[in-house]
Amino acid sequence: MTKLKIKTGDTVKVIAGDHKGSEGKVQKVLIDKNKAIVEGVNMVKKHTKPSAQNPQGGIVEKEAAIHISNLSLLTSKGETTRVGYRMEGDKKVRFSTKSNEVI
């Protein structure tokens, strides 16, 4: 299993696929599938049966997972970058490979 460099709470941009160019915040990372759920991106319609929580039933829109390779991290300046790791003192920190800034 590889180490994923995108974490929950990161702001990312979709760099490939149908939703290329979309931006959003990572809500959840599915480590075993190498996928992430990004807020407001890759919306799908799910048909639901009536239940106690949703007595009406109907069509619900929700986010579907996107493969990690199709996402790129956004820096504080809004540019896409790759992520690296380095030691600063006794701590391992993530940093932007473009600007060398700690994330």
Side-chain angles (χ1 to χ4, degrees), residues 10-72:
D10 287 346
T11 305
V12 294
K13 184 173 188 175
V14 180
I15 57 171
D18 292 341
H19 303 282
K20 182 176 181 177
S22 302
E23 298 176 7
K25 198 167 223 156
V26 176
Q27 291 180 333
K28 187 175 184 180
V29 177
L30 308 171
I31 297 170
D32 55 330
K33 295 182 180 179
N34 284 340
K35 293 187 175 194
I37 296 175
V38 181
E39 185 178 315
V41 179
N42 200 17
M43 300 295 285
V44 295
K45 293 183 188 291
K46 182 170 173 59
H47 297 263
T48 58
K49 288 174 69 174
S51 65
Q53 291 90 8
N54 187 8
Q56 184 72 18
I59 301 171
V60 177
E61 280 200 34
K62 60 181 256 178
E63 290 98 356
I66 300 176
H67 201 271
I68 294 287
S69 66
N70 294 339
L71 300 174
S72 182

Side-chain angles (χ1 to χ4, degrees), residues 85-103:
Y85 286 92
R86 67 174 173 225
M87 296 298 288
E88 284 190 359
D90 294 339
K91 288 205 258 182
K92 186 177 182 182
V93 295
R94 292 191 310 157
F95 71 98
S96 163
T97 54
K98 254 187 195 176
S99 63
N100 224 11
E101 148 191 348
V102 174
I103 300 171

